[in-house]
Amino acid sequence: MPEPYYKQHWIDVEPERHAAYDQILAFHPSMEPIIRPLDLRPGLRVLDLGSGPAHTTMELARRVGPSGAVTGIDINAEFVHRSSNRAKEAKLPIQFVLSGFPPLPFPDGSFDRVFCKNVLEYVDSAADTVAEMARVTAPGGIVVASDSDWEMIALETGAANRERNERILAAAKSIALKEPRIGRQLYGLFRGAGLAEVKAEILAGADTTGRSLPMLKASFARYARDSGRVAEDEIAQWIASIDRAVADGTYVFVLPQFVVRGVRAG
């Protein structure tokens, strides 16, 4: 029996979405505020939950160096296969594990740092997953999660498109996410898992150049289509309106990221 849509659409990823995710999930300097709270240094053992195409996982490996150890875990077999090859080509000793979660298939205290970016909105239980993240972290180790809050999303492409934008985004959210408000919940989840020194911040830069187009076209459009609430021709019109807004300089997209850091008590 297939898993719920919010999980199954990560288990089954068609080739065109893999290509899009290489763009969407590429590591770039704007992500520095998300990984900085990990306080990475050579020699650390790091776990990346939901490692996907592993572009960020590889950056984590570069920062802990050859004396460190990085593990990526993902629910998608093709991500694990591609990531293993990508890391091998880059000569980075990263281990990739194919597994759903929670629970996590690692002993207590296995890692000095545990990182999870844009994953908790899709898991069956965010609370259980955060508890597992705390469990596999060594005493004194750091846990960092970054996730969106989809109730704070903003897409502006002109007044004539606002009603359609809201309707299509609502259709996408209705099936793609287990918990669209996960961003605002992270602080409480970290506290509930017994993590100490919990700190939260919000990153909310505006995309005005179209950097988010691959995500809108490859993910949001697919989710809206699969919801059955939006016709194919209207999705095509929506995409065309977004392209026009980028071209004429009226495009704005904001999806706030909550970044929460906690320390495993000794």
Side-chain angles (χ1 to χ4, degrees):
M1 180 178 177
E3 297 282 0
Y5 186 94
Y6 60 80
K7 184 187 293 186
Q8 192 66 41
H9 82 276
W10 287 112
I11 297 173
D12 299 326
V13 179
E14 59 274 17
E16 58 268 27
R17 276 205 296 149
H18 274 291
Y21 289 140
D22 277 332
Q23 291 182 277
I24 297 167
L25 302 176
F27 181 82
H28 46 82
S30 65
M31 291 173 56
E32 191 65 33
I34 296 176
I35 65 171
R36 185 182 301 124
L38 285 167
D39 189 23
L40 295 173
R41 57 180 182 269
L44 293 177
R45 301 166 299 165
V46 181
L47 173 64
D48 184 10
L49 255 70
S51 48
H55 299 296
T56 300
T57 321
M58 289 172 40
E59 181 63 24
L60 303 180
R62 294 184 186 101
R63 299 192 183 204
V64 301
S67 62
V70 174
T71 300
I73 182 170
D74 203 274
I75 198 172
N76 181 272
E78 185 67 14
F79 273 145
V80 169
H81 174 70
R82 290 176 179 229
S83 297
S84 298
N85 290 338
R86 186 172 281 132
K88 185 176 181 180
E89 290 172 5
K91 299 182 179 179
L92 292 170
I94 307 172
Q95 176 189 10
F96 290 95
V97 176
L98 175 63
S99 179
F101 48 83
L104 290 168
F106 308 109
D108 294 1
S110 296
F111 303 97
D112 304 303
R113 303 289 187 268
V114 174
F115 179 66
C116 184
K117 180 181 182 296
N118 295 108
V119 172
L120 294 174
E121 60 206 39
Y122 302 110
V123 298
D124 290 328
S125 171
D128 289 348
T129 302
V130 173
E132 281 288 280
M133 292 163 65
R135 179 186 66 79
V136 302
T137 303
I142 295 173
V143 180
V144 174
S146 171
D147 230 310
S148 311
D149 196 303
W150 295 80
E151 297 303 319
M152 297 181 180
I153 194 169
L155 173 62
E156 176 61 28
T157 58
N161 301 314
R162 286 175 189 153
E163 185 276 335
R164 182 172 58 199
N165 286 347
E166 292 180 6
R167 187 157 39 81
I168 289 179
L169 292 175
K173 288 187 291 183
S174 71
I175 64 167
L177 309 164
K178 177 64 165 63
E179 179 46 78
R181 301 175 184 87
I182 190 63
R184 71 189 71 180
Q185 297 174 22
L186 289 180
Y187 181 83
L189 291 172
F190 270 47
R191 294 291 301 271
L195 292 165
E197 302 176 38
V198 180
K199 298 179 181 179
E201 61 178 324
I202 301 175
L203 306 177
D207 172 25
T208 59
T209 63
R211 190 178 67 246
S212 51
L213 290 187
M215 178 172 66
L216 292 172
K217 293 180 178 181
S219 297
F220 283 57
R222 172 200 167 99
Y223 303 154
R225 182 184 301 112
D226 289 352
S227 75
R229 295 167 54 176
V230 184
E232 183 66 42
D233 61 341
E234 189 168 24
I235 292 172
Q237 294 168 16
W238 180 65
I239 291 174
S241 72
I242 291 172
D243 286 336
R244 286 194 301 271
V246 172
D248 65 24
T250 60
Y251 175 81
V252 179
F253 179 80
V254 181
L255 181 55
Q257 290 278 309
F258 284 70
V259 182
V260 180
R261 172 190 185 275
V263 177
R264 170 74 187 274

